[in-house]
Amino acid sequence: AKLIGIESDEKSVEYANERYGEQGKRVFYCMDMESEGFEAALDKVMSENGVAEFNVINLSWVLMNLRSPFKLLKILRKKLSKNGAVFVKDIDDAYNIAYPDENGYFERAIEICGRDRYAGYRKSGRQVYTHLYRAGFKQITQERLCLTTVGMDSDKRSALFDVTFSYVLEDMKK
């Protein structure tokens, strides 16, 4: 019945509120999830929106960008309803497969992403289970999905490559 979105990028929050926001139903906030005051700020947002606890928490590409994912998960665990669910989508480049990659473009792009300070910790996927468990989540199911070009024709491989690595040039400009 209600969606509360939290994002650290002000422009993304403005866009989301303009495009998807609906008073009383969908609202987006710009917050630093690693700040000392995050829990208090989240409590305020929950109070303002009449939310006592969350039924669903979706963390897409969040943990990979945090210095202390465990700290955030510990806070969110306290805000989750008894039968609530947390969905985590993160990345681990070790699971990605590009075949054929005769020229090594995919492998090289993955290596560049690993050095891109704006691309997050590209091996965080393998740590998600441990972070969740340590934060108090006990019923954990982990699905491993990877990027793969196996069986794709060259047009599809090219499109996957473009979509997957399109941000790299912008990051390199920064």
Side-chain angles (χ1 to χ4, degrees):
K2 189 170 291 228
L3 180 134
I4 297 173
I6 298 173
E7 165 63 47
S8 61
D9 180 67
E10 184 77 41
K11 288 184 181 186
S12 296
V13 170
E14 288 173 14
Y15 177 82
N17 276 314
E18 289 170 13
R19 178 102 187 229
Y20 305 108
E22 183 180 331
Q23 192 63 32
K25 290 198 177 240
R26 292 183 300 267
V27 63
F28 303 88
Y29 294 88
C30 184
M31 299 170 75
D32 178 355
M33 291 173 259
E34 291 196 285
S35 73
E36 287 299 319
F38 173 71
E39 187 169 7
L42 181 59
D43 287 339
K44 182 179 178 198
V45 165
M46 291 171 70
S47 177
E48 288 173 359
N49 287 280
V51 174
E53 55 191 11
F54 293 105
N55 296 322
V56 175
I57 296 174
N58 181 15
L59 299 169
S60 290
W61 314 112
V62 173
L63 301 182
M64 67 183 282
N65 290 298
L66 301 179
R67 289 180 305 277
S68 180
F70 170 72
K71 183 178 175 184
L72 175 66
L73 290 171
K74 198 169 175 185
I75 291 168
L76 295 179
R77 176 68 194 103
K78 294 187 281 185
K79 312 299 179 193
L80 189 66
S81 65
K82 182 180 179 185
N83 294 315
V86 173
F87 295 90
V88 178
K89 183 176 184 177
D90 243 9
I91 196 161
D92 199 314
D93 287 331
Y95 295 113
N96 297 332
I97 302 167
Y99 181 83
D101 187 24
E102 296 93 357
N103 297 315
Y105 295 142
F106 192 87
E107 186 177 331
R108 178 79 172 128
I110 292 291
E111 188 258 322
I112 290 169
C113 289
R115 292 186 283 127
D116 179 355
R117 68 181 184 165
Y118 300 107
Y121 180 56
R122 310 274 310 174
K123 297 177 182 174
S124 65
R126 66 187 76 182
Q127 299 172 349
V128 169
Y129 183 93
T130 301
H131 288 314
L132 287 167
Y133 187 82
R134 284 183 55 226
F137 298 93
K138 300 301 179 206
Q139 293 181 308
I140 303 168
T141 301
Q142 187 171 15
E143 299 289 329
R144 289 176 199 90
L145 302 173
C146 66
L147 294 176
T148 181
T149 63
V150 174
M152 287 184 177
D153 63 31
S154 62
D155 289 338
K156 287 183 181 177
R157 280 196 311 269
S158 180
L160 177 68
F161 191 89
D162 290 345
V163 169
T164 304
F165 303 111
S166 62
Y167 68 90
V168 173
L169 289 176
E170 289 302 314
D171 287 358
M172 294 301 150
K173 290 176 186 175
K174 290 180 188 177

